Amino acid sequence: MTHPSERDRADEHLVREAERIAVAIGRMFPGLCEVVLHDLRRPDSAIRAIENNLSGRQVGDSATELGLRRIADPEYPSVIQNYSNHFPDGRPAKSTSIGIKNADGRYVAALCLNLDVSTLSPLALTLANLVATGAEHPGARLETLRDRTGRELRSHIDSFAAARSSTPRGLHRDQKRELVQHLHREGFFETRSSAQLIADQLGVSRATVYNYTK
C-alpha cells in the first residue's frame, strides 16, 4: 500500500483550505458570482468544488485552458484579473483566476470567480439615473417609461432568482411558474412585450410563460 508523502499531504492541505475559501465567497454572492476550485493535480477531473453554478459544469469536470497552461508552465501568471468571459448561454461575465502554488513553486490549484454582469445592468442604470444632475426638463423622462418598466421587470426576476441562490434560467420549473404567477398578479403582463421579455430571461418559450400563468 502506497502512503502519501509529506509533500502530497501539504498539497492536499492547500487545496482543502482553498475549497473552504471558494465555498465562503460563493455563499457571500448567491446567484451572482460562480466560484470554481480547480485541483490542478488532476487535470482530467479538476473541478473540486463549484458554488453558484452558472456555467452548467459539474464537480469532476476537466481543467480549463488556463488550468492546463499553469500545469505546463509554473511561470504562468498567478493572477489574471477582471477579464471578459461568457457563460455557455451567452451571458457576459467578468472573471478572475487565481493560481495557487505549493512550496515547490508548482501550481496545485486555481480559484476562479465568474461574475454574471448581465444581472448588474439594471442596477447600473438605476444608479446612473440616481446621481444624474442638471436635468432641465424632468418631464422628458416620461418618454423612457417603457424602458423603465422593462428594467423593473428584469429587476423583479433577478431578485426572485437571487433569493433562491440561482439565476433566472437556473430556476426549477416550479420556481419559474411561481415567479410568472407573481409577475402576473403584480400587473407586469399589461404590456405586450412583457411576456417575451420574461420568456427570454427564463430561457423558455412565450407560450410556456402564458401556460405558467394558469
Side-chain angles (χ1 to χ4, degrees):
M1 179 177 179
T2 303
H3 296 282
S5 66
E6 183 176 345
R7 177 184 300 172
D8 291 337
R9 289 194 294 270
D11 289 352
E12 178 62 20
H13 176 74
L14 272 178
V15 176
R16 285 183 180 176
E17 290 299 298
E19 185 172 358
R20 292 174 58 197
I21 295 171
V23 172
I25 294 174
R27 291 179 181 176
M28 187 174 179
F29 301 101
L32 182 62
C33 184
E34 178 184 77
V35 184
V36 186
L37 177 65
H38 298 267
D39 186 341
L40 299 183
R41 300 170 300 171
R42 304 175 179 85
D44 291 336
S45 56
I47 294 184
R48 170 103 169 218
I50 183 165
E51 288 287 319
N52 300 329
N53 192 333
L54 303 178
S55 63
R57 291 175 293 173
Q58 302 295 329
V59 171
D61 282 356
S62 59
T64 62
E65 293 88 341
L66 279 179
L68 296 176
R69 289 171 191 161
R70 287 192 171 113
I71 293 170
D73 181 11
E75 299 304 315
Y76 196 81
S78 58
V79 177
I80 302 177
Q81 194 162 22
N82 296 334
Y83 59 93
S84 177
N85 211 338
H86 285 86
F87 293 110
D89 62 5
R91 281 173 297 152
K94 184 169 83 170
S95 298
T96 290
S97 177
I98 305 166
I100 300 169
K101 290 183 177 181
N102 63 10
D104 297 325
R106 180 171 56 88
Y107 283 114
V108 295
L111 185 63
C112 299
L113 290 76
N114 303 308
L115 182 68
D116 183 358
V117 296
S118 69
T119 63
L120 298 179
S121 297
L123 177 60
L125 290 171
T126 299
L127 291 176
N129 287 334
L130 180 64
V131 301
T133 60
E136 295 181 5
H137 304 287
R141 286 202 175 273
L142 291 174
E143 295 181 352
T144 65
L145 177 62
R146 182 176 179 182
D147 290 338
R148 292 210 310 270
T149 300
R151 291 199 298 271
E152 184 181 1
L153 174 55
R154 285 189 289 269
S155 177
H156 269 70
I157 294 173
D158 290 336
S159 297
F160 181 95
R164 289 154 182 80
S165 300
S166 179
T167 61
R169 289 172 175 259
L171 291 169
H172 299 308
R173 183 175 61 182
D174 289 343
Q175 292 174 326
K176 290 179 179 180
R177 184 186 298 275
E178 179 186 355
L179 170 59
V180 169
Q181 290 178 351
H182 167 73
L183 295 173
H184 190 262
R185 290 193 301 270
E186 293 296 316
F188 280 101
F189 282 72
E190 292 178 0
T191 60
R192 290 184 298 174
S193 61
S194 295
Q196 188 60 57
L197 190 153
I198 295 169
D200 293 341
Q201 289 288 97
L202 298 183
V204 299
S205 69
R206 193 163 177 263
T208 297
V209 168
Y210 280 118
N211 185 56
Y212 283 166
T213 63
K214 300 176 182 178

